[in-house]
């Protein structure tokens, strides 16, 4: 459920009519709903409450939506952060997410990033390789401390999602093969400098089925037993994120409650504190991208709706062939079949071909729905279009939470060397 709905024929975000935001901020612009973010955070927290030892840690996957105001809303709901770079760690801290609620994942943490995590006193590093463990152990020993960490394993299951967002198959770059985990645990524990006390996994994103997760969790359960038998003090398991959300009307996805029930089954008797890293399920349907039709151009078959948003603002359709529902802000009731495209000079800049959608004319507003996750954060300035703005709505008020970075400001950061002038 989200808080974007038609009222008197005009699409609103909570109590704010979207044309008011377009007038004040311009388009394209991402619009997030605070009430929706809060609702999703609560629903997820409730779905996993009481599972495992102590209160589970729900660490929002910052990559899904790193906007500071969004992180602040989630921090106030008690969520922590799953970060994958020094930049994301700095954001989580700036949003006042407590270090003891921050986990650091990522296959290529640099030495500087490992240091940054230790400086901050984060909850845990999720090690993605033995090599990373060796480096972290060295840094921690030099400081005379033990770095809290878990080993990310690759369970070799097919998550059944798009290849580019699948992470748990044997030949993916993430984690260590599950069969090698015991040896790595033994060697890393012997080094000193690491408090290696857990297992982490994440098999992919936009998962439509719970079975692959349950299969992976069962493998983790077995590994947990063998590691305990080998004398390791196992305290945490980080089950990652991945729960999918509906992008099309009428699509059905496992609910957080169904996910929670599966986790309860799969982890019964583990005796560990559980960590979750949800991203999309928290932020996806909490945002839309608002855009204006620049021009309606005749096509060979269907007309082209050329909108002022492009693949640089919302990359998912171009990158993954992803579907984003497209609706008019002030629908007239009529439908038409159209090709929805941006102004960028490549055919990849196509949001949808032959899409049955609300009839629209030049100058009218529309939104791409389910754009709150992996939307603005994946923006670029391709075609010198600048960076898209972001707005947060709270009841009847709204605020710009990321300025539009104009093409000129990006140009200002570039230099022509003296010897070219
Ligand atoms: N934890 C780890 C270690 C991850 O790599 C990810 C996502 C998550 C948690 C959060 O997954 P979620 O709950 O959001 O599914 N750009 C792509 C999605 C990439 C996901 C990468 N990792 C897209 O637009 O679909």
């Amino acid at each position: 459920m989200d808080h974007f709905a038609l009222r008197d024929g005009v699409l609103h975000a909570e109590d704010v009519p979207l044309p008011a935001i377009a007038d004040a901020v311009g388009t394209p612009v991402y619009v997030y709903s605070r009430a929706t973010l809060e609702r999703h955070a609560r629903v997820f927290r409730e779905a996993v409450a009481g599972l495992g030892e102590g209160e589970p840690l729900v660490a929002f996957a910052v990559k899904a939506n790193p906007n500071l105001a969004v992180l602040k809303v989630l921090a106030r709901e008690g969520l922590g952060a799953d970060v994958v770079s020094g930049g994301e760690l700095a954001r989580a801290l700036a949003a006042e997410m407590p270090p003891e609620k921050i986990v650091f994942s990522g296959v290529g943490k640099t030495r500087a990033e490992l240091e940054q995590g230790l400086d901050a006193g984060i909850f845990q590093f999720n090690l993605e390789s033995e090599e990373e463990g060796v480096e972290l152990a060295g840094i921690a020993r030099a400081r005379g401390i033990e770095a809290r960490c878990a080993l990310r394993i690759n369970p070799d299951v097919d998550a059944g999602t798009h290849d580019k967002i699948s992470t748990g198959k044997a030949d993916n770059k993430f984690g260590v093969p599950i069969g090698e985990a015991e040896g790595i645990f033994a060697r890393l524990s012997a080094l000193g400098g690491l408090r290696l006390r857990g297992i982490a996994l994440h098999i992919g994103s936009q998962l439509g089925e719970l079975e692959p997760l349950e299969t992976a969790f069962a493998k983790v359960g077995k590994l947990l037993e063998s590691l305990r038998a080998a004398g390791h003090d196992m305290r945490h398991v980080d089950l990652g994120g991945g729960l999918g959300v509906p992008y099309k009307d009428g699509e059905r996805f496992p609910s957080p409650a169904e996910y929670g029930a599966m986790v309860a089954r799969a982890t019964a008797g583990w005796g560990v504190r559980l960590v979750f890293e949800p991203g999309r399920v928290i932020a996806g349907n909490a945002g839309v991208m608002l855009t204006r039709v620049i021009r309606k151009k005749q096509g060979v078959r269907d007309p082209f709706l050329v909108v002022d948003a492009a693949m640089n603002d919302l990359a998912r359709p171009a990158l993954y062939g992803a579907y984003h529902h497209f609706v008019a802000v002030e629908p007239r009731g009529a439908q038409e079949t159209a090709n929805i495209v941006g102004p960028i000079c490549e055919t990849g800049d196509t949001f949808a071909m032959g899409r049955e959608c609300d009839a629209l004319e030049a100058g009218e507003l529309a939104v791409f729905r389910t754009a709150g996750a992996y939307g603005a954060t994946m923006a670029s300035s391709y075609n010198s279009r600048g960076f898209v703005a972001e707005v947060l709505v709270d009841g009847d008020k709204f605020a710009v939470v990321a300025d539009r970075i104009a093409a000129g400001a990006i140009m200002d950061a570039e230099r022509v060397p003296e010897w070219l002038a």
Side-chain angles (χ1 to χ4, degrees):
M1 200 207 110
D2 60 51
H3 290 76
F4 297 93
L6 283 174
R7 279 195 209 168
D8 300 326
V10 181
L11 190 61
H12 281 58
E14 303 191 18
D15 300 331
V16 178
L18 291 178
I21 295 177
D23 287 347
V25 187
T27 52
V29 58
Y30 280 88
V31 180
Y32 310 127
S33 150
R34 176 179 183 172
T36 310
L37 286 166
E38 288 174 346
R39 187 188 136 77
H40 291 175
R42 280 177 207 157
V43 165
F44 194 92
R45 256 194 4 228
E46 282 162 19
V48 300
L51 302 183
E53 298 291 303
E55 219 10 58
L57 169 57
V58 180
F60 175 62
V62 172
K63 64 174 78 66
N65 191 325
N67 182 277
L68 281 180
V70 167
L71 296 184
K72 189 79 191 195
V73 167
L74 298 177
R76 290 208 181 164
E77 283 302 314
L79 268 55
D82 161 48
V83 303
V84 293
S85 70
E88 286 191 355
L89 174 55
R91 281 174 178 274
L93 294 171
E96 290 176 285
M97 282 170 158
E100 62 273 15
K101 289 187 180 176
I102 299 178
V103 298
F104 202 150
S105 310
V107 74
K109 303 178 201 78
T110 63
R111 189 175 184 88
E113 287 174 328
L114 294 172
E115 302 257 13
Q116 197 182 337
L118 285 177
D119 289 343
I122 60 167
F123 174 73
Q124 153 174 313
F125 293 91
N126 289 343
L127 302 177
E128 299 252 5
S129 63
E130 181 166 4
E131 295 82 348
E132 181 190 345
V134 170
E135 182 156 16
L136 180 61
I139 301 171
R141 278 199 312 273
R143 294 178 175 216
I145 57 168
E146 282 196 321
R148 291 181 289 273
C149 48
L151 183 65
R152 176 167 177 185
I153 55 97
N154 183 328
D156 192 18
V157 296
D158 185 349
T161 186
H162 192 285
D163 268 354
K164 288 190 186 171
I165 54 176
S166 185
T167 50
K169 282 189 263 182
D171 59 356
N172 292 146
K173 66 180 176 178
F174 300 97
V176 303
I178 190 161
E180 291 174 27
E182 284 180 66
I184 296 176
F185 249 82
R187 291 191 295 277
L188 287 182
S189 303
L191 290 177
L194 297 182
R195 172 80 185 85
L196 185 54
R197 63 202 185 155
I199 304 170
L201 79 162
H202 171 79
I203 63 169
S205 195
Q206 185 55 7
L207 307 184
E209 308 283 342
L210 295 177
E211 285 74 16
L213 285 167
E214 194 159 5
T215 306
F217 296 170
K219 292 186 178 195
V220 167
K222 290 211 178 79
L223 175 62
L224 199 59
E225 265 178 44
S226 356
L227 288 169
R228 283 211 171 110
H232 298 288
D233 180 20
M234 302 301 293
R235 298 294 177 91
H236 299 99
V237 174
D238 181 337
L239 296 175
L243 206 52
V245 301
Y247 281 84
K248 290 185 185 153
D249 261 1
E251 258 180 341
R252 215 193 98 64
F253 275 76
S255 67
E258 288 163 333
Y259 171 80
M262 179 276 287
V263 171
R265 239 182 3 252
T267 65
W270 280 11
V272 294
R273 184 170 179 214
L274 296 175
V275 181
F276 299 90
E277 301 174 350
R280 193 186 314 262
V281 73
I282 304 288
N285 280 307
V288 300
M289 183 175 59
L290 179 59
T291 183
R292 199 180 284 283
V293 178
I294 300 175
R295 191 160 294 118
K296 190 167 182 177
K297 172 183 162 167
Q298 276 317 311
V300 176
R301 236 176 65 185
D302 303 317
F304 286 95
L305 287 173
V306 187
V307 297
D308 66 2
M311 65 187 282
N312 73 302
D313 306 303
L314 177 64
R316 305 191 67 260
L319 265 182
Y320 317 118
Y323 179 102
H324 282 264
H325 204 49
F326 180 75
V327 294
V329 167
E330 296 177 74
R332 293 187 294 273
Q335 298 275 300
E336 69 182 342
T337 304
N339 305 319
I340 305 153
V341 300
I344 282 184
C345 295
E346 61 174 276
T347 303
D349 187 25
T350 296
F351 292 108
M353 290 298 285
R355 174 81 65 86
E356 169 89 7
C357 62
D358 293 330
L360 281 158
E361 297 299 330
E364 291 188 297
L365 292 168
V367 298
F368 291 98
R369 302 216 42 169
T370 319
Y374 308 108
T377 183
M378 290 172 67
S380 76
S381 67
Y382 186 36
N383 272 214
S384 293
R385 287 171 44 85
F387 280 95
V388 61
E390 297 166 79
V391 159
L392 180 68
V393 171
D394 179 2
D396 61 1
K397 59 179 187 285
F398 67 89
V400 175
V401 293
D403 290 342
R404 190 179 306 286
I405 302 180
I410 298 170
M411 195 163 66
D412 285 347
E414 294 173 21
R415 307 276 170 264
V416 176
E418 233 169 63
W419 38 264
L420 259 186

